[in-house]
Amino acid sequence: MVDFLNACVDVLTDEAAIGAAARFAAVLAFVATGEWVAERAGTLNISVEGMMLAGAFAAAVGLDASGSMWMALGCGVAAGVAVAVPQAEMSHRLPADQFVVGLTLNILVLGVAGFLDAELDLVTHRAGSVEVPLLVDLPWVGPALFGQPWPFYLLYPLVLSAWWAMYRSRWGLEVRSVGEDPQAADVSGVDVNRRRRQAVCVAGATSGLGGAYLLVGQVGRFSDGMVGGRGFIAIAAVIFGGWTLRGAIGGCVLFGAVLSFRLTLPQLGYDAVNTEILQAAPYLVTIVVMAVSARRVRPPAALAQPFLRGLK
Amino acid sequence: MTEPMVPRQVEIDDFSLRRARRRSLVEVGVLYGACVVAALTLAAMLVAVSGGSWVEVLGALIDGSVRKPGRIGATVGTTVPILVVALGAIVSAKAGLVNIGQEGQLLVGAALCTYVALRTPGPGVLVLVVALVAGGVGGALWAGIAAMLRYRRGVPEVLTTLLLVTVAVQLVGYGLKHESLLLAPSGERAARNQVSAQLEADTRLPRVAWFGNEWPSSALIAVVAAVAVAFVFARTLPGMRVRMLGRNPKVAQRVGVDAARYGTAAMLVSGGFAGFAGALMLVGGDFGNYQLVPGFAVDIGWTGLLVALVARERALVAIPMAFVFGALRTGSGFVAATGVERRVTDVVQALLVLALLLPPAILYVRERRRAAAAIAVRV
């Protein structure tokens, strides 16, 4: 027990460990931001996993073909949206079950990416680190938040604009109303399913970006197991955060830290911890945290319920 | 004196009714056909883009699944666990629950089955039965965690079942590192292999040699299970209650169906089927060598889930669907010889599922549109 506490203190005070946690959290935060938008509109979008993988794979292809990081990120976004469109059309234009569609898309993307990855020989590398002057000198969190691979910094404008769009624009109000009471929104003249489709596409764009960031910011090389359930953890972060953006980002930081243990604990000299527990820890922690927190928060009232006019 | 209000009868003559029925049958057929053809065309294009020949790939698939001698038996052996997993997924789907963690439940079931089969003394047949039951119990327990979290703590079971898959993999991995749990004694395995001991010969399911094929006797169990599931949902009271819970929870509550009780039961049965499938894989001999190895589940859980989705909650339809997916699997082993990556079959599977999801949704929308138009005409 004392060892465990010591380990926790070490992880929280070691600069490298905080930096690693921030990188893991950033991947989740990209994804969770879009997933939050989709869930506020009423879609529990489990195809984020596939969107991330598609984003990562497209980024690898883009980087291999053009050598430009911007191209890689752009391809990632496009691929994420390409997965989002069938999800949106099938579950919010046609009345197919959103979980069924999402699950199938995940498996499809895994198959396509694995198949093409075996056919292509992709050469990729990581994006270089850029330090933001002055801010990087902040004690404790400076290097973690301002000394990262440069695509990391896209997160700040992304989160801010998501907040602005959802709470300060008419579009955001409509999206939130669609997730709370689609019947009322429909009577007020909001095209419910259209807003939901748009929200899913937003999730696709940010998840694709998150996948691309995972590739160019963290792993550096594509493998079909690289996403490995992170999309689902991002969904859990949104639930943990009680469907607020603040809370979701907080959840990302928590789960990001747990994800980074596998990397940082052995580096800090704690190799006695058994590998299975370290591997399973993020998922176990996610489950336990949800079990504690799920009842304290209120989900969007129409979450995961399809909307068909005239049916309640 | 006022006449009682009689709803105006819409007169439909026999001829137009028959015509309408025929038109809708044709419509359904054309839609399904078009969607499947579109999916296969997409897959063929993928093969063509990567430089392969889709004719060769298709030939290899058929060779590997049915045409070459002995392959039908292998395909049936693969179909069995897929079908059993699918039956479980159908049970939870009927209750309106989204259990998508069959892969983990299957693995836990197989692990518990191994543990029990290797440690229980007694006559072989008895051990076999006890071990199979243990497999079911293992899967049920694993799904039960998700059910408990759903009904006690309000956590969506979609997420917990998924996350528990990874936990199950690590748990079984841990078991395979310790001789007190699953690992074979050091004399019975190569030094660094993390495998369990082999099952005794008399605790294996018999295989029947017939027409040049080896048929697993588990096929019989699986078909009986499918019929039983279909019967329970079509003809029994508990089956109807579970269906009611899935179709309209509000009505179910009014009628007095306890959501937590029936939902948990459906979840346990669902996981139980997945665990039982794992146990069948272990004692059936079509997967591995009657021993538990890391990665034992080999995506059977996911495939079974897809079959359940395609069968649209009908247990008897799941039988041929499971065979198709089983054939894709055994056929994929022969695809590598054509120079095309064997994972192309994963793509085909997912595309097929997507294609088969579309027609019912499209038909539903068209039906509603037609109904709306009919009402508009009458008013």
Side-chain angles (χ1 to χ4, degrees), chain B residues 42-339:
Chain B
L42 266 179
M45 276 164 59
L46 196 65
V47 171
V49 165
S50 65
S53 143
W54 68 269
V55 181
E56 277 180 30
V57 171
L58 185 65
L61 277 177
I62 295 175
D63 275 351
S65 56
V66 289
R67 203 155 54 193
K68 285 277 163 78
R71 294 308 292 174
I72 295 188
T75 303
V76 171
T78 316
T79 304
V80 168
I82 295 178
L83 175 59
V84 175
V85 169
L87 293 176
I90 286 173
V91 172
S92 56
K94 287 267 191 200
L97 292 165
V98 193
N99 174 14
I100 46 182
Q102 278 84 2
E103 185 84 355
Q105 292 148 18
L106 186 152
L107 195 58
V108 173
L112 202 60
C113 174
T114 314
Y115 186 82
V116 170
L118 292 175
R119 316 249 156 179
T120 314
V125 183
L126 198 68
V127 174
L128 175 64
V129 172
V130 172
L132 281 174
V133 171
V137 170
L141 285 178
W142 208 245
I145 300 175
M148 196 190 74
L149 287 172
R150 154 86 196 242
Y151 289 109
R152 290 276 168 82
R153 308 293 323 164
V155 187
E157 77 284 359
V158 188
L159 275 183
T160 39
T161 47
L162 260 177
L163 294 170
L164 281 170
V165 174
T166 324
V167 180
V169 172
Q170 298 303 332
L171 183 74
V172 173
Y174 180 81
L176 280 174
K177 277 190 187 165
H178 296 266
E179 285 184 15
S180 60
L181 296 169
L182 293 167
L183 186 64
S186 51
E188 298 179 23
R189 62 190 159 89
R192 290 180 147 264
N193 271 6
Q194 290 172 6
V195 298
S196 78
Q198 269 196 332
L199 298 191
E200 298 290 332
D202 59 348
T203 59
R204 300 174 184 176
L205 263 189
R207 301 170 70 83
V208 186
W210 191 35
F211 284 122
N213 277 296
E214 268 200 10
W215 306 86
S217 45
S218 51
L220 206 62
I221 304 176
V223 172
V224 170
V227 174
V229 169
F231 178 80
V232 165
F233 282 116
R235 288 278 183 273
T236 69
L237 191 57
M240 197 193 77
R241 287 193 175 133
V242 168
R243 269 192 300 148
M244 195 191 289
L245 186 64
R247 295 300 284 271
N248 195 331
K250 280 182 192 156
V251 170
Q253 196 193 11
R254 288 278 163 81
V255 178
V257 175
D258 183 354
R261 196 166 137 207
Y262 280 89
T264 309
M267 201 69 171
L268 289 177
V269 172
S270 175
F273 267 110
F276 185 61
L280 282 180
M281 283 165 75
L282 189 82
V283 300
D286 282 289
F287 296 85
N289 202 7
Y290 298 102
Q291 64 187 166
L292 195 70
V293 296
F296 180 77
V298 287
D299 289 349
I300 289 291
W302 298 119
T303 314
L305 183 56
L306 288 183
V307 167
L309 300 182
V310 173
R312 292 175 54 78
E313 302 184 14
R314 285 161 302 181
L316 295 179
V317 180
I319 300 176
M321 286 299 168
F323 187 79
V324 171
F325 279 61
L328 271 175
R329 216 188 145 83
T330 44
S332 74
F334 280 49
V335 168
T338 65

Side-chain angles (χ1 to χ4, degrees), chain B residues 9-21:
Chain B
Q9 295 277 322
V10 184
E11 282 182 34
I12 303 169
D13 59 301
D14 203 36
F15 176 70
S16 63
L17 191 68
R18 241 184 299 162
R19 199 177 53 184
R21 254 188 221 143

Side-chain angles (χ1 to χ4, degrees), chain A residues 179-231:
Chain A
E180 290 294 343
D181 192 340
Q183 275 77 23
D186 185 47
V187 198
S188 326
V190 178
D191 189 338
V192 172
N193 281 326
R194 192 187 160 91
R195 287 284 170 272
R196 287 188 169 176
R197 290 197 294 272
Q198 289 168 342
V200 170
C201 288
V202 170
T206 70
S207 310
L209 188 59
Y213 171 75
L214 178 65
L215 183 94
V216 301
Q218 212 179 348
V219 182
R221 224 188 109 64
F222 182 81
S223 76
D224 56 3
M226 68 190 290
V227 175
R230 278 182 202 162

Side-chain angles (χ1 to χ4, degrees), chain A residues 94-95 100 103-104 108 110-111 115 118-119 224 232 239 274-276 279 283 287 291 295 308-309 311, chain B residues 46 50 98 149 152-155 159 162-163 166 170 174 177 305 341 343 347 350 353 357-358 364-365 368:
Chain A
L94 299 171
V100 173
L103 180 77
T104 320
L108 179 65
L110 187 63
F115 174 72
E119 297 285 332
D224 56 3
F232 305 130
I239 297 176
N274 120 2
T275 50
E276 279 84 13
Q279 298 264 5
Y283 309 95
I287 292 170
R295 271 283 156 82
L308 279 164
R309 188 177 284 168
L311 281 188
Chain B
L46 196 65
S50 65
V98 193
L149 287 172
R152 290 276 168 82
R153 308 293 323 164
V155 187
L159 275 183
L162 260 177
L163 294 170
T166 324
Q170 298 303 332
Y174 180 81
K177 277 190 187 165
L305 183 56
E341 171 68 15
R343 296 192 60 170
V347 181
V353 176
L357 280 178
L358 274 176
Y364 182 74
V365 168
R368 274 174 60 91

